Each structure stands twice: as C-alpha cells, then as structure tokens.
C-alpha cells in the first residue's frame, strides 16, 4: 500500500500549501500619486503693506462748504475750507447741506508720515 501513504503525504502537503496561502498577508497596493501641481497656476498673494503710522495735531474750528462736488475722482466728496489755517479738505456732504453752510469741526493734520488730513464735523452753526 505504498500508494495510500504517498497519497496521504501528497494530500497533507497540498492542504498545508493551501492553508499557508490563505494565511499570508495580502499584497500591498499603492495609490497612484497625482503628479500635477495644483499650485503651479496660482500667483503668490501680494505682500501685506504695513499701515503708515503718523503723528497728528488737532485743531477745533469752522468748516465751510465751498463746493458740493469735488474735483477729486470721488464725486461723493464735497470741497470744504477749514478755519483757522485756510485748509482745503475733501469730506462727504451731510444730508441737506448746501454751498456756503458752516459747521463746527475738528481737523486732524498729520505732522509726520504719508497720512492725509481728516475732517470731523461736530454740528451745524
């Protein structure tokens, strides 16, 4: 019965091979890497400009409307004359105001830096 022992040995070897194949780790699969650069077509953001720092002086006085529109690029600004100092400034026109109206005002003038004068209206005279 030589065949029976060879048949058992072959069956045992086949069973061991099949069991070891099922117990092995699965093959490692890698995901394809996207080679397109998403930032290739973007422009870098512009550098942040620092806000200029200015030293100010403040003067209380009277502001008179010279013109309801200004020669500036912004038509929403009126032309004002501030006393004392005879400064010409551009500031929005209050509702119902007309040429020649006068207002109590505060003018902030820059002493240093690239800042522009700022007019604050307190109330009509």
């Amino acid at each position: 019965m030589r065949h029976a022992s060879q048949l058992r040995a072959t069956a045992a070897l086949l069973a061991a091979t099949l069991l070891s194949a099922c117990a092995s780790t699965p093959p490692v699969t890698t995901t394809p890497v996207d080679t397109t650069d998403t930032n290739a077509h973007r422009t870098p953001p512009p550098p942040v400009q620092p806000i200029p720092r200015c030293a100010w002086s403040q003067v209380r006085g009277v502001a008179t409307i010279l013109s309801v529109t200004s020669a500036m690029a912004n038509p929403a600004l009126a032309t004002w004359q501030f006393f004392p100092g005879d400064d010409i400034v551009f500031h929005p026109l209050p509702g119902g105001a007309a040429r020649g109206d006068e207002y109590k005002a505060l003018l902030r003038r820059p002493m240093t830096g690239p800042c522009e004068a700022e007019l604050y209206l307190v109330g009509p005279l």
Side-chain angles (χ1 to χ4, degrees), residues 76-98:
L77 298 177
T79 305
W80 297 77
Q81 184 174 16
F82 182 82
F83 298 104
D86 238 5
D87 291 295
I88 303 295
V89 292
F90 302 100
H91 186 73
L93 190 67

Side-chain angles (χ1 to χ4, degrees), residues 46-102:
V48 177
Q49 298 293 329
I51 298 172
R53 300 187 61 100
C54 298
W56 298 91
S57 69
Q58 296 182 8
V59 178
R60 284 184 267 167
V62 175
T64 305
I65 301 172
L66 293 179
S67 174
V68 178
T69 60
S70 69
M72 302 285 290
N74 188 351
L77 298 177
T79 305
W80 297 77
Q81 184 174 16
F82 182 82
F83 298 104
D86 238 5
D87 291 295
I88 303 295
V89 292
F90 302 100
H91 186 73
L93 190 67
R99 185 174 182 249
D101 289 351
E102 295 181 338

Side-chain angles (χ1 to χ4, degrees), residues 16-33:
T17 304
L18 288 176
L19 287 175
S20 68
C22 292
S24 67
T25 59
V28 178
T29 58
T30 59
T31 57
V33 177

